[in-house]
């Protein structure tokens, strides 16, 4: 089926309106009319080819919410009109040890990402949520239990929410733990809300003095402006977990220094240029670790959506028509997002 979309034909071209083809739903497929799609910094990295391997045309978008508009004959979990979400994954091998454990994001035979992954569908790679509709295998579709009027603000949970929730659970954020969240953008602002809701003592690290007040409102117990050496020094050696969401290369020693013995700095930001090599001293002398984490599996993504529905957590969003996407990317590069752009997909018809 021909579907309106917004994408780029090359790394140096602005995004533009285009028609794409979606497959006719197969027996296990769910077709979704997309209401809203969040704008992740990964969209920008990919569309501008900051990471290797972008396939064009590139239609980004992996924070998708909308309504089911068709289901295949074998689909039992969803029916027409259901409100659903799709995150960063649309398929995986389903039989490797990671898939068997519900950790599809670590599929050992390469998962299929919502955009920019090889697929038999036209044009040979997946196309994401900056589009009117998408067809996805039912296993990769999530149920949304938030009230309908919050739907646009739920979209960012599908990537920003799960990417922060999963490591916070894995490294056991909770009461009695001190958790730092570095970079108060799309991921970071969700990290602050979720760490706070898990009961951890939550500290927001920002380079932007202007976000100090906001970070407290988001649920941070303390805010540190990371450009202030004295403020940073006062936090030395006190953290169990620091989650680093920064989208640019920076000095990691500034954060390993803040870990307690056995603390962990978890990297989720994927900057275009590598971080400077961290010094081993902060690691060896306090048995600290630098780790990484990628989004979350389907079961954990559903758990996160249900946790957020129960705790009344959504993203703080700024809604945009799709035609403003390049302006949104430019603001994202200036750390000027409060705190996630969400596309109103009705604007695709405008
Ligand atoms: P974002 O909304 O642009 O937020 C990034 C934040 O990092 C900015 O708002 C800013 O916060 C801080 N920052 C930016 N440049 C900085 C610099 N030069 N030095 C220090 N801090 C800086 O981006 P996002 O959508 O949250 O994504 C963040 C990163 O995570 C991206 O690299 C993205 O590709 C990656 N990501 C990874 C996964 C995964 O599974 N691991 C999933 C999704 C996204 P302050 O103003 O507070 O300093
Ligand atoms: Zn993302």
């Amino acid at each position: 089926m021909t579907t309106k979309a917004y994408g780029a034909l090359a790394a140096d071209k602005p995004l533009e309106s285009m028609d794409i083809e979606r497959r006719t739903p197969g027996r296990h497929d769910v077709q979704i009319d997309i209401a809203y799609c969040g704008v992740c910094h990964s969209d920008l990295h990919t569309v501008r080819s900051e990471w290797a391997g972008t396939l064009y045309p590139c239609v980004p978008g992996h924070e998708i919410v909308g309504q089911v508009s068709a289901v295949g004959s074998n689909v039992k979990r969803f029916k027409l009109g259901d409100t659903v979400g799709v995150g960063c994954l649309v398929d995986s091998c389903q039989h490797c040890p990671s898939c068997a454990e519900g950790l599809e994001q670590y599929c050992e035979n390469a998962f299929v990402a919502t955009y920019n992954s090889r697929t038999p569908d036209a044009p040979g790679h997946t196309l994401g949520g900056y589009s009117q509709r998408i067809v996805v295998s039912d296993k990769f579709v999530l149920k949304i239990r938030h009230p309908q009027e919050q739907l646009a603000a739920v979209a960012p949970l599908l990537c920003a929410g799960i990417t922060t929730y999963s490591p916070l659970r894995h490294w056991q954020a909770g009461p009695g733990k001190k958790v730092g969240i570095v970079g108060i953008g799309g991921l970071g602002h969700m990290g602050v809300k979720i760490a706070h809701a898990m009961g951890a003592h939550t500290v927001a690290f920002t380079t932007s003095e202007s976000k100090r007040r906001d970070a407290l409102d988001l649920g941070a117990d303390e805010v540190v402006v990371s450009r202030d050496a004295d403020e940073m020094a006062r936090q030395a050696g006190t953290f169990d977990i620091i989650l680093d969401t920064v989208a640019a290369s920076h000095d990691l020693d500034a954060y390993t220094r803040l870990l307690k013995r056995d603390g962990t700095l978890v990297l989720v930001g994927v900057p275009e240029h590598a971080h400077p090599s961290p010094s081993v001293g902060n690691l060896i002398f306090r048995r600290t670790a630098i780790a990484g984490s990628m989004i979350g599996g389907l079961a954990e993504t559903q758990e996160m959506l249900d946790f957020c529905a129960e705790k009344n957590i959504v993203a703080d969003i700024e809604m945009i028509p799709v035609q403003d996407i390049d302006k949104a990317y430019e603001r994202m590069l200036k750390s000027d997002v409060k705190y996630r752009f969400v596309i109103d997909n009705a604007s695709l018809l405008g």
Side-chain angles (χ1 to χ4, degrees):
M1 188 189 299
T2 303
T3 297
K4 284 256 169 274
Y6 225 73
L9 296 173
D12 58 353
K13 293 253 169 27
L15 279 75
E16 59 183 86
S17 177
M18 55 179 66
D19 287 333
I20 60 168
E21 286 301 315
R22 292 298 190 193
R23 67 176 182 261
T24 305
R27 286 189 305 152
H28 294 280
D29 281 338
V30 177
Q31 177 180 290
I32 301 157
D33 287 357
I34 303 173
Y36 304 104
C37 183
V39 178
C40 180
H41 207 113
S42 304
D43 301 354
L44 189 166
H45 290 305
T46 306
V47 97
R48 297 194 175 170
S49 220
E50 292 179 359
W51 300 332
T54 303
L55 304 163
Y56 294 93
C58 175
V59 175
H62 57 205
E63 293 184 337
I64 296 169
V65 292
Q67 268 78 35
V68 173
S69 55
V71 289
S73 55
N74 274 8
V75 174
K76 302 282 183 278
R77 285 199 307 134
F78 301 101
K79 58 179 190 319
L80 288 189
D82 282 357
T83 300
V84 295
V86 176
C88 305
L89 305 173
V90 291
D91 213 348
S92 69
C93 86
Q94 308 278 327
H95 55 73
C96 72
S98 293
C99 285
E101 283 184 62
L103 297 169
E104 296 88 352
Q105 76 276 34
Y106 302 116
C107 174
E108 288 149 50
N109 299 302
F111 61 77
V112 181
T114 305
Y115 59 83
N116 204 49
S117 277
R118 297 283 177 195
T119 169
D121 296 351
H125 59 270
T126 50
L127 302 170
Y130 298 7
S131 60
Q132 270 181 301
R133 64 179 70 82
I134 191 165
V135 177
V136 180
S137 171
D138 62 346
K139 279 199 177 150
F140 290 80
V141 179
L142 288 310
K143 289 184 196 282
I144 289 175
R145 300 190 165 94
H146 285 77
Q148 199 64 30
E149 60 273 16
Q150 292 185 325
L151 189 57
V154 169
L157 302 184
L158 275 307
C159 174
I162 186 59
T163 302
T164 49
Y165 181 92
S166 182
L168 289 170
R169 271 273 179 268
H170 185 77
W171 279 278
Q172 297 170 351
K177 295 284 178 73
K178 187 170 176 185
V179 173
I181 306 288
V182 186
I184 308 306
L187 266 56
H189 97 290
M190 288 310 310
V192 169
K193 290 187 186 213
I194 291 170
H196 170 75
M198 288 176 174
H201 181 88
T202 304
V203 182
F205 290 90
T206 180
T207 58
S208 308
E209 181 66 46
S210 63
K211 293 181 185 172
R212 204 188 270 278
R213 177 72 243 165
D214 286 5
L216 292 172
D217 293 342
L218 292 167
D221 297 288
E222 300 176 56
V223 183
V224 174
V225 174
S226 54
R227 297 184 197 281
D228 184 321
D230 293 338
E231 278 188 64
M232 289 293 277
R234 281 199 287 276
Q235 300 287 341
T238 61
F239 282 86
D240 297 285
I241 308 162
I242 300 179
L243 186 62
D244 186 336
T245 76
V246 173
S249 165
H250 64 281
D251 171 27
L252 300 181
D253 296 342
Y255 294 101
T256 54
R257 209 172 281 138
L258 307 190
L259 294 171
K260 275 187 189 159
R261 194 200 73 227
D262 291 321
T264 306
L265 170 64
V266 187
L267 305 178
V268 292
V270 189
E272 176 182 6
H273 303 291
H275 296 303
S277 180
S279 78
V280 296
N282 295 337
L283 308 179
I284 290 172
F285 282 91
R286 286 195 309 283
R287 196 166 58 183
T288 59
I290 299 178
S293 182
M294 187 167 54
I295 45 174
L298 272 297
E300 194 174 45
T301 305
Q302 189 65 63
E303 178 188 305
M304 176 277 308
L305 285 168
D306 296 347
F307 173 89
C308 289
E310 189 194 314
K311 305 264 185 196
N312 195 25
I313 295 173
V314 292
D316 288 17
I317 66 164
E318 184 174 336
M319 189 102 78
I320 56 164
V322 73
Q323 291 78 7
D324 285 354
I325 190 66
D326 282 297
K327 275 189 255 171
Y329 286 165
E330 290 312 313
R331 281 184 52 197
M332 197 176 237
L333 288 171
K334 291 189 216 136
S335 303
D336 176 25
V337 186
K338 302 277 175 79
Y339 278 88
R340 195 60 140 183
F341 291 113
V342 171
I343 296 167
D344 180 354
N345 286 44
S347 62
L348 283 158
L349 300 174

